[in-house]
Amino acid sequence: MGATIVEPKLHEARWWEPLPTGKLHCYLCPRHCQIGDGQTGFCFIRKNIGGKLYNLGYAQPAAVQVDPIEKKPLNHFLPGTKIFSMGTAGCNMGCFFCQNWDISKSKSDQVNSFHLEPEAVVLSAIEYKCPSIAFTYNEPTIWGEYVIDIAKVAHEIGLKTVMVTNGYITREALHDVYDHIDAANVDLKAFTENFYSKITLTHIQPVLDVLKVLRKETHVWFELTNLIIPTLNDASEEIKELSDWILANLGDDVPLHFTAFHPDFKLRDKPRTPPETLHRARRIAMEMGLKYVYEGNIFSDGANTICPGCKKVIARRSWHDVSGLRINEDGACQQCGYKIAGHFEKPVMPSRSVIRELRERVEAVQGPDRVV
């Protein structure tokens, strides 16, 4: 990918208010940072400049690539398709185990970012034949203004949008962002406040509240990921409590991915997650009644989708490769007709005339040179 060096204009942020102290209150996420002039919030990319809050990540992605959608991971949303994936600098959590710490723990001027307007993002996705765009790698909530503007263009053209998120967003901002999102993978990092406060430097309750809102007040398809770290969140009792909460508050058809940890960033003293731990977690969750439970970051039959009706394998996965998909576009199992929760319709890419019009818009807002 090549890039044009363009000096982007500062983009004023949303979800803030001035305080009597002269600081700015950012209420995008539950941290509620109070930011002095010249300072950034915890996330590093929301900055007070002369009494206004700006989003330094707007149109400044630090990572762009094409992934299989199963990598997000999403197993019940357009399976087998490619997704145009992008992220910026910064994060609103402080996870000791972060596996993208090179960008999530960096300030905007510490990463090799490039200028990419929302229209150019969507055009790039189309040119790589991706029917959807993922906001991922770091926490997309902190560049919510950019997410919304990309999503608006994407939906005009017929592309889908995906958040890969820690779920740390306020009630005030949630609908502003997620009303433009088609699917999400929410990282439920553990099921204890002790883990969240000590290992992520946040709190669990706001994440649980967001999950309930997503289920009850939006049309967003979402799946959950729980990264299991030996000795920190791998106890059987915690897996039971997590599964029980999902059943009681979200339902039995929300896919849950248990994934394997590897030592990284500030948490290098813990071993890799043994496959047996994931097998045990999956077994517990399924015995408690969750219909779709997966294992990730290992080669395992636990990556396959099993029909709750006939108990046959209806999607076979090897890491992120999918084969033997036996689910109709309406979600019906081809073996027994059982309705599988999710979105399995065949994506339709935009017509040539629509692409031509979008290309003209890109040249108008970004110029003829752009990342492709």
Side-chain angles (χ1 to χ4, degrees):
M1 292 185 177
T4 296
I5 299 176
V6 179
E7 189 65 31
K9 296 179 181 178
L10 284 173
H11 191 92
E12 187 172 342
R14 296 174 61 176
W15 311 292
W16 64 275
E17 61 187 359
L19 297 173
T21 60
K23 294 184 177 182
L24 303 180
H25 168 213
C26 177
Y27 56 87
L28 170 58
C29 95
R31 287 192 173 278
H32 290 280
C33 291
Q34 297 186 17
I35 307 169
D37 191 19
Q39 297 178 335
T40 62
F42 182 93
C43 68
F44 293 145
I45 69 166
R46 305 181 73 79
K47 186 174 184 178
N48 179 345
I49 302 175
K52 286 187 177 182
L53 193 66
Y54 290 89
N55 180 348
L56 303 183
Y58 190 95
Q60 289 294 107
V64 173
Q65 69 181 50
V66 174
D67 289 326
I69 199 164
E70 286 76 16
K71 188 178 179 180
K72 299 301 104 185
L74 287 172
N75 285 358
H76 290 237
F77 189 80
L78 310 184
T81 62
K82 297 186 296 182
I83 187 164
F84 190 82
S85 304
M86 56 186 299
T88 73
C91 188
N92 61 353
M93 283 193 175
C95 303
F96 291 179
F97 51 88
C98 183
Q99 296 172 10
N100 286 328
W101 59 269
D102 54 331
I103 60 171
S104 69
K105 304 307 176 185
S106 298
K107 298 180 180 179
S108 59
D109 59 357
Q110 294 175 324
V111 295
N112 184 24
S113 60
F114 44 85
H115 183 57
L116 201 63
E117 291 289 338
E119 293 84 356
V121 172
V122 177
L123 182 59
S124 296
I126 292 170
E127 291 179 336
Y128 280 94
K129 296 180 172 57
C130 297
S132 57
I133 299 171
F135 312 116
T136 180
Y137 301 137
N138 72 323
E139 176 48 49
T141 293
I142 65 173
W143 37 287
E145 299 87 354
Y146 190 28
V147 166
I148 291 171
D149 288 350
I150 294 170
K152 286 179 178 178
V153 178
H155 287 158
E156 287 177 25
I157 306 301
L159 270 60
K160 303 295 187 182
T161 56
V162 171
M163 288 278 279
V164 181
T165 177
N166 58 31
Y168 214 54
I169 187 171
T170 60
R171 176 74 189 217
E172 292 88 343
L174 191 151
H175 277 287
D176 290 342
V177 175
Y178 283 90
D179 284 354
H180 301 281
I181 299 300
D182 297 295
N185 184 285
V186 183
D187 197 356
L188 185 54
K189 298 176 184 291
F191 204 67
T192 65
E193 172 62 18
N194 184 62
F195 181 101
Y196 264 84
S197 62
K198 292 184 178 180
I199 308 299
T200 76
L201 308 182
T202 57
H203 302 286
I204 188 174
Q205 193 58 50
V207 179
L208 300 181
D209 292 342
V210 163
L211 290 172
K212 288 189 285 187
V213 173
L214 288 178
R215 183 64 171 185
K216 297 174 182 178
E217 299 182 18
T218 77
H219 297 290
V220 177
W221 170 259
F222 67 93
E223 305 183 19
L224 303 176
T225 293
N226 178 228
L227 180 75
I228 297 186
I229 305 174
T231 74
L232 293 182
N233 65 348
D234 61 343
S236 294
E237 188 58 36
E238 183 170 339
I239 301 300
K240 291 178 183 178
E241 291 175 358
L242 181 149
S243 302
D244 184 61
W245 186 91
I246 293 172
L247 284 164
N249 293 276
L250 307 179
D252 61 5
D253 61 350
V254 175
L256 172 60
H257 303 255
F258 290 113
T259 56
F261 161 85
H262 70 260
D264 214 331
F265 193 43
K266 296 181 179 180
L267 206 61
R268 298 177 181 272
D269 61 331
K270 301 296 181 183
R272 289 177 177 268
T273 309
E276 293 75 18
T277 300
L278 298 189
H279 302 337
R280 170 172 53 85
R282 179 171 180 263
R283 183 172 61 252
I284 289 171
M286 294 185 73
E287 287 175 351
M288 292 191 67
L290 290 178
K291 292 178 179 177
Y292 310 107
V293 187
Y294 297 100
E295 299 172 9
N297 293 348
I298 63 169
F299 286 101
S300 165
D301 288 342
N304 299 334
T305 297
I306 299 173
C307 174
C310 63
K311 309 303 180 185
K312 300 287 183 62
V313 174
I314 52 176
R316 193 173 300 280
R317 296 181 183 85
S318 176
W319 208 251
H320 301 132
D321 294 330
V322 185
S323 62
L325 189 64
R326 296 182 174 86
I327 307 173
N328 293 332
E329 289 191 34
D330 64 356
C333 169
Q334 293 178 2
Q335 309 271 4
C336 70
Y338 186 96
K339 189 64 178 292
I340 308 299
H343 293 261
F344 304 96
E345 62 272 18
K346 185 177 180 180
V348 178
M349 297 301 290
S351 66
R352 290 182 180 180
S353 62
V354 170
I355 296 172
R356 184 169 57 250
E357 291 175 4
L358 179 59
R359 186 171 287 112
E360 291 172 356
R361 290 171 61 183
V362 170
E363 292 182 359
V365 298
Q366 171 130 1
D369 296 321
R370 58 186 169 78
V371 173
V372 293

